[in-house]
Amino acid sequence: MVQSSVRGEGTRARDRSAAGAGGSHSGGATPEGGDAGGGRRGRSPRRRGRQHGILRWSAATLAVLILGAAGTGYLYYQHLNGNIRKGERTSGDSKAEKAKPNAAGQTPLNILLIGSDSRNSTENVKLGGSRDQVGSKPLGDVQMLIHLSADRKSAAVVSIPRDTRVDIPKCTDPETDETFPATNNIINSSLGRGGAGCTLATWQNLTGVYIDHWMTIDFAGVVKMADAIGGVEVCVEHKMWDRPLPGTPGGSGLRLDAGKQKVKGKQALQWLRTRHAFYSDLGRAKAQHMYMNSMVRTLKDQNVFTDGGRLMGLAEAATKSLKVSEELGSVKELYDLGMQLKTVPANRITSTTIPTVVDQQNANHLVPAGADAEKMWTMIRDDIPFDKGGDPKKKPAAEKASKDPAAADDEIGVMVRNGTRSATLGPVGGRANAITQLLAQQGFTKAAADQSAAVAEDKTVIRFPSAELEGDAQRVAKSLGIPLSSVKKSTDVTGVTLVVGADWRTGTAYPKQSAPKAGELPKDADAVSGSDSDACMPVYEPYRL
């Protein structure tokens, strides 16, 4: 489900003809802070000798969203502010648009959580080993998106496995000014190509979801947070030891008895890093989700919001453990964020992993699983709950027609692009020409096919550059049966541009698609409910004791 920015072809409002439009161009920042970007294939950055798992998302990061902040006096407040490390929200080209408010004026909130494998401190080397990696660029081996619904009544958490191949946009490291060209590589490499801001831009291009903030944590931060919480209950089905075995070096060192027990400090880090004993990276992601959910329940049970001393201890650990995007760079912003998430009941928090398939280019890598992955991104973009606990009578927002009147069909210039390439399937040849002919038959005689190489667009989309062309773009959509929700304003194009996506690979009739319903997740999403206190991880037989 790799998405690429679409550089538009076409004409401006006063010359509605598509004839003579040529070449792609780089767009400037969108009003929402996005840029146009491209991609190219690159080599995997997997490191020699790293046989065991690196830090996957420390669910303890979520604690800062729950605990709020202490601040019993101005000096202490300033002290906490001084603990917080900050960075630019985005450092890469991205085109995602911020969601529009619902009828009540509310908007969803999206936070990207990143676990870094950095060895660039004495503490991290002690906890993570691999001294030969000191000084090298970190990998973002844990990446999770927390989506808080507009009404703040539900939350969804989505992980992407570290070895998932995606398009990574052009990024510039804000600390060194080093520029990295766009590439196609596994997603964990994005952190070393411009910091967390590059990872955020990568996610935005992949998902079409505007991400408000990022937060990162490293090995040492995991331990600090786990100790501050006082331990988190986990469960395994068998007595286990994740250790080196013949032919399988590495291992986290995690050793547990069967059943429920609390882990804290270094043992909590081992839980979050365990991969072999939990079968795979996908199993490890599920174990991390269980840890996160258990941690949320623990904090709620401790009622930390009414215990000043407890709250101060957690705030101290959180502000020392995290690096955050600059707009979150104060205790007040973190506190406000925590208060919003605090309202979500545990049974309305659903944690998942994006559906993936084996990468045909490299059997050790994954790619998003086409329609199933796109379904999950659609649910987040459209703010559809991952659980069935919402209002079953709630109807999707009605599509709004533009107030801009459309020109006559034979005066509307339309550039048609082939976007049928996907992560798992090659492009369908001739699709731009076929749909251009269809438009001409329907009276859009100024439609023209873009003959450049096919791009990747999971869903068919019609883009327009300015308000005076919105009516024209919607007229094209109506004529083809494409929903108005697929008509998007974009500075990436110079005229009305139709990109025929991977959802329309054959035929001249646009395939009817029903919107996902609440709780209607793909079967391979491996969802875990935040209220499931009996969830227990299975253990791969060689690691049982």
Side-chain angles (χ1 to χ4, degrees), residues 283-437:
R284 177 164 56 179
K286 186 170 185 176
Q288 292 160 3
H289 295 156
M290 290 179 180
Y291 182 100
M292 174 185 290
N293 292 338
S294 179
M295 183 200 64
V296 171
R297 294 193 301 269
T298 298
L299 289 171
K300 286 180 177 290
D301 290 344
Q302 290 175 348
N303 200 18
V304 297
F305 297 97
T306 60
D307 184 338
R310 185 108 177 91
L311 190 58
M312 289 175 65
L314 288 168
E316 186 77 32
T319 54
K320 285 183 177 179
S321 300
L322 300 169
K323 184 175 181 179
V324 300
S325 50
E326 55 196 352
E327 73 289 342
L328 281 180
S330 76
V331 172
K332 181 182 184 304
E333 277 79 19
L334 291 175
Y335 177 82
D336 290 343
L337 193 59
M339 289 301 98
Q340 294 184 64
L341 194 57
K342 176 179 176 287
T343 63
V344 181
N347 65 347
R348 299 293 316 276
I349 300 174
T350 306
S351 302
T352 64
T353 300
I354 195 69
T356 54
V357 294
V358 175
D359 186 358
Q360 294 181 355
Q361 295 184 18
N362 186 330
N364 292 318
H365 295 166
L366 302 167
V367 291
D372 281 350
E374 176 58 26
K375 184 177 185 178
M376 291 182 66
W377 301 141
T378 298
M379 293 177 76
I380 290 180
R381 289 194 300 264
D382 295 346
D383 201 24
I384 299 171
F386 277 19
D387 69 303
K388 296 182 179 180
D391 183 0
K393 297 180 181 180
K394 183 179 179 181
K395 296 180 180 180
E399 295 181 339
K400 294 182 179 180
S402 171
K403 295 180 180 180
D404 171 55
D409 292 353
D410 60 0
E411 294 181 4
I412 298 176
V414 187
M415 181 59 67
V416 183
R417 299 199 69 185
N418 185 346
T420 55
R421 178 172 67 84
S422 72
T424 55
L425 297 172
V428 178
R431 285 305 285 163
N433 288 328
I435 302 305
T436 298
Q437 292 174 13

Side-chain angles (χ1 to χ4, degrees), residues 157 280-287 289-290 350-355 376 521-529 537:
V157 180
S280 66
D281 276 337
L282 299 178
R284 177 164 56 179
K286 186 170 185 176
H289 295 156
M290 290 179 180
T350 306
S351 302
T352 64
T353 300
I354 195 69
M376 291 182 66
L521 287 168
K523 293 181 180 179
D524 51 351
D526 207 10
V528 179
S529 171
M537 279 301 297

Side-chain angles (χ1 to χ4, degrees), residues 38-194:
R40 73 177 185 185
R41 301 188 187 282
R43 297 185 63 189
S44 164
R46 297 179 66 85
R47 295 173 175 168
R48 182 181 303 172
R50 286 175 53 207
Q51 300 296 325
H52 60 271
I54 309 292
L55 169 68
R56 300 292 282 171
W57 159 241
S58 138
T61 299
L62 189 61
V64 75
L65 306 178
I66 302 297
L67 62 91
T72 55
Y74 177 76
L75 292 178
Y76 188 68
Y77 177 83
Q78 291 299 97
H79 163 73
L80 291 177
N81 280 339
N83 288 344
I84 301 172
R85 294 169 295 141
K86 295 169 281 189
E88 290 186 9
R89 177 188 158 273
T90 181
S91 58
D93 296 343
S94 178
K95 62 183 180 180
E97 298 179 1
K98 194 172 182 65
K100 296 179 180 179
N102 61 17
Q106 304 164 313
T107 55
L109 184 66
N110 296 301
I111 308 151
L112 182 62
L113 310 178
I114 305 168
S116 165
D117 77 339
S118 172
R119 303 303 204 283
N120 296 328
S121 75
T122 302
E123 284 183 286
N124 285 336
V125 170
K126 289 180 179 179
L127 293 167
S130 300
R131 294 176 182 274
D132 59 321
Q133 300 301 331
V134 173
S136 61
K137 291 184 179 296
L139 297 177
D141 274 352
V142 181
Q143 299 186 21
M144 287 186 183
L145 180 68
I146 289 182
H147 170 81
L148 187 59
S149 65
D151 62 10
R152 304 301 190 257
K153 293 181 179 179
S154 69
V157 180
V158 183
S159 294
I160 294 183
R162 64 178 181 174
D163 290 338
T164 304
R165 180 170 59 83
V166 300
D167 283 340
I168 300 174
K170 175 184 176 182
C171 294
T172 300
D173 190 316
E175 297 182 3
T176 65
D177 289 329
E178 182 179 3
T179 297
F180 300 86
T183 187
N184 183 267
N185 211 329
I186 58 177
I187 198 167
N188 71 346
S189 67
S190 60
L191 186 63
R193 300 177 62 84

Side-chain angles (χ1 to χ4, degrees), residues 240-242 274-280 538-541 543:
M240 61 158 289
W241 183 14
D242 189 54
T274 295
R275 175 166 62 99
H276 298 309
F278 294 157
Y279 291 90
S280 66
V539 178
Y540 186 34
E541 189 170 0
Y543 297 91

